[in-house]
Amino acid sequence: FAAIDVGSFELELGIFEISASAGIREIDHVRHALALGKDTYNDGRLSHEIVEEMCEVLNKFREVMKTYRVSDYRAFASSALREARNSQMVLDRILVRTGLRVRTMNNSELRFKSYKAVAAREEEFQRTVKNGAALMDVGFGSTQISLFDEEVLVSTQNLLLGVLRLSEMSAHWRVDYRKIPAIIDELVENELYTFRKIFLKEHQIETLIATGETMNYMIGMSSEEIQERYELPQDYAEVLIPSAILYRKVLDMTGASYIWAPGTTLCDGIAAEYAQENRLVRFHHDFEADILSTARQMAKRYRCHGAHVREVERSAEMIFDATKKYHGLGARERLLLKIAATLHDCGKFVSITRGSESSYQIIMDTEIIGISDLERE
C-alpha cells in the first residue's frame, strides 16, 4: 500500500506492507521538500512553476510505487492546496499529468488520520492516555490540540499557528530579526489564552504527545544538521523557531510532566485508516466513541439539556434500528444521526427563539474530529 501526503512544506510517499499477522509495517519512505504553503499563504494561489515541480515529483513517486508493485494507494492534500484559489484546477492537472487522484480533506479529517497513526501504537498509546494526556500535532499550516480523559478523546481544537504560516508572516515584519521570537511568543500566547480558558480548565494533563514533521526533525538534531540532511535552505530550517516556541508554550500551559514523541507522520495515519477500513488490521481503540465524546462535550459547552438530549438520541437510534430494512443506511449514517441528536439544541445558547438556525451555524463553524465538511452539513 502507498500513502501520499501533499503537504504545505513537502511531498511524502510511504510504502507499507499490511497484513493481519504482521500489522502495518513501513518498508520505504521518500520525501521531497516543496514549500506549497509559501505560495498559498502569501498569494492565495499556487504558481505554474510550483505545480510543474509537484507533478514531476509525483511522477517519480509513481515509479517508486511500480517498483514495489503497489496494489492500492491513497493520496491526500492538506491546507496549502485546499486553501489555494486554484485548487480544483491544480487537482485536475495532477490527475492528467500523473494519473494520481489526489483528494483534499478538511482539517478534522486530516488530524483524525494523524491521530490514528499514534493510536496504532496501541500498548504505549493506551498507557499514555489513561492518566490524562494532550496530543499536540504541529503542522506547517496549523496546530491541533486534542485532550484525553480516561482514555477517551474529550475535545480537540485547531489553531492557525502553523510553523510555515508563522514563518511567512514574520518574513514581512519590519523589525529587528532578534525581536521576531518574542513577537511570535506573544502571538502564540494570545491564541493559547482563549484555548486554556475554554477547554483546559477541567483537565489535568500528565503527558504531552508531540507529533508533526518539525518534531520529527528536531529530535536530536541541530538546525545545521537539519539543513544539511534534508537539503533545506536556512530560512526553512528556521521554521523550527516557531515550532520550538509552540511546544514550549503548550508544555508550560498544560503543566505536563512527560512528553512522548512517537515520530509518526500523516502517511502512517493514511495507512492505518486504510487498514482499518479494509479490516486488514483490528484496532482495539474505539474511534467512534471519540467522535461522540467530542460532540457531547460540545453540547455540554453550549449548556444543552442533558436528559432531553439523551432521550432524543435514544429514540432516534431505536427508530433507525427498527426501520433499517426500509432505509438501508449503515453504521456511518447511524453515527451522524447520533451526533445530530446530541447537538440539535446547542443553538439555544445563542438564541432561544432562533435555536435551530443558531444550532446550524454553530455546527458549521465548529470542527468535529473525523467528520467531513459534507457530513457536518
Side-chain angles (χ1 to χ4, degrees):
F1 174 77
I4 299 174
D5 170 22
V6 181
S8 303
F9 184 68
E10 60 189 2
L11 278 70
E12 290 190 72
L13 167 68
I15 304 292
F16 298 87
E17 187 177 74
I18 305 174
S19 66
S21 56
I24 304 168
R25 188 169 70 93
E26 185 181 76
I27 54 179
D28 202 353
H29 196 102
V30 182
R31 54 161 50 96
H32 178 92
L34 183 64
L36 302 180
K38 187 174 182 180
D39 275 12
T40 301
Y41 305 147
N42 283 326
D43 306 323
R45 59 186 292 116
L46 295 174
S47 67
H48 171 77
E49 292 75 19
I50 208 161
V51 172
E52 285 297 301
E53 185 177 350
M54 178 168 49
C55 288
E56 288 175 15
V57 173
L58 289 172
N59 272 321
K60 290 175 182 176
F61 283 2
R62 278 200 68 186
E63 293 303 313
V64 175
M65 291 161 63
K66 286 179 184 176
T67 302
Y68 282 105
R69 300 181 189 177
V70 164
S71 56
D72 206 353
Y73 78 95
R74 295 286 184 275
F76 292 100
S78 50
S79 62
L81 184 46
R82 183 181 70 241
E83 294 176 15
R85 292 195 302 270
N86 58 338
S87 62
Q88 191 55 57
M89 186 188 76
V90 172
L91 292 171
D92 291 343
R93 187 152 184 187
I94 290 171
L95 180 60
V96 170
R97 287 283 311 278
T98 70
L100 294 172
R101 187 173 297 279
V102 177
R103 288 174 282 180
T104 58
M105 50 183 168
N106 70 12
N107 181 72
S108 63
E109 294 173 290
L110 183 152
R111 302 297 181 171
F112 201 46
K113 288 174 174 58
S114 297
Y115 165 45
K116 284 183 176 180
V118 179
R121 310 278 180 92
E122 288 195 295
E123 188 176 328
E124 195 164 4
F125 174 75
Q126 293 299 131
R127 186 170 64 248
T128 301
V129 299
K130 185 178 292 183
N131 299 316
L135 171 60
M136 182 181 182
D137 186 17
V138 175
F140 291 101
S142 65
T143 292
Q144 191 89 4
I145 303 177
S146 305
L147 303 177
F148 294 85
D149 191 9
E150 295 181 357
E151 302 184 27
V152 177
L153 182 68
V154 290
S155 67
T156 183
Q157 186 64 34
N158 185 248
L159 308 170
L160 288 180
L161 295 173
V163 292
L164 183 58
R165 197 186 293 269
L166 287 170
S167 181
E168 286 302 309
M169 285 170 58
S170 66
H172 298 284
W173 297 337
R174 295 179 180 178
V175 297
D176 188 320
Y177 74 92
R178 288 168 292 190
K179 294 181 180 179
I180 286 177
I183 298 172
I184 292 175
D185 190 285
E186 188 176 337
L187 277 170
V188 172
E189 172 65 31
N190 184 56
E191 291 295 312
L192 291 180
Y193 175 84
T194 306
F195 176 84
R196 180 171 62 243
K197 289 294 183 183
I198 296 175
F199 298 99
L200 200 60
K201 57 185 178 181
E202 298 176 358
H203 302 286
Q204 293 293 319
I205 305 300
E206 184 173 287
T207 304
L208 178 67
I209 306 169
T211 64
E213 288 301 324
T214 52
M215 172 54 74
N216 297 341
Y217 289 149
M218 281 195 292
I219 298 171
M221 297 180 70
S222 67
S223 61
E224 290 78 14
E225 289 172 326
I226 292 162
Q227 184 182 355
E228 182 179 346
R229 176 171 173 181
Y230 296 106
E231 299 178 355
L232 302 178
Q234 178 62 28
D235 53 347
Y236 289 118
E238 287 173 358
V239 297
L240 295 184
I241 294 172
S243 179
I245 292 170
L246 279 164
Y247 285 118
R248 194 202 72 218
K249 297 294 282 188
V250 172
L251 270 171
D252 291 344
M253 178 184 73
T254 59
S257 304
Y258 306 98
I259 185 166
W260 174 37
T264 55
T265 67
L266 180 58
C267 287
D268 295 316
I270 295 170
E273 187 167 87
Y274 177 84
Q276 182 193 27
E277 288 176 356
N278 290 276
R279 299 182 180 180
L280 301 170
V281 173
R282 183 168 176 264
F283 287 89
H284 294 96
H285 187 77
D286 189 346
F287 295 106
E288 184 175 301
D290 287 332
I291 297 172
L292 285 170
S293 174
T294 56
R296 285 167 182 153
Q297 285 294 319
M298 211 173 130
K300 182 180 177 182
R301 187 161 71 246
Y302 289 107
R303 306 291 193 271
C304 293
H305 184 196
H308 170 70
V309 164
R310 285 191 295 273
E311 184 57 32
V312 171
E313 185 182 321
R314 187 187 70 83
S315 300
E317 279 185 281
M318 289 177 65
I319 294 169
F320 183 95
D321 293 340
T323 58
K324 194 166 185 177
K325 67 178 181 179
Y326 300 109
H327 59 63
L329 301 176
R332 187 67 176 182
E333 289 77 18
R334 192 175 190 270
L335 171 63
L336 295 176
L337 178 65
K338 290 173 75 171
I339 297 171
T342 299
L343 298 176
H344 79 280
D345 257 356
C346 65
K348 288 183 178 177
F349 183 85
V350 178
S351 170
I352 292 177
T353 56
R354 298 170 68 89
S356 295
E357 291 176 36
S358 297
S359 293
Y360 173 80
Q361 293 298 335
I362 287 172
I363 291 166
M364 291 306 294
D365 289 337
T366 307
E367 287 189 342
I368 302 171
I369 190 77
I371 300 297
S372 71
D373 290 339
L374 180 60
E375 288 175 323
R376 195 162 73 238
E377 189 168 5

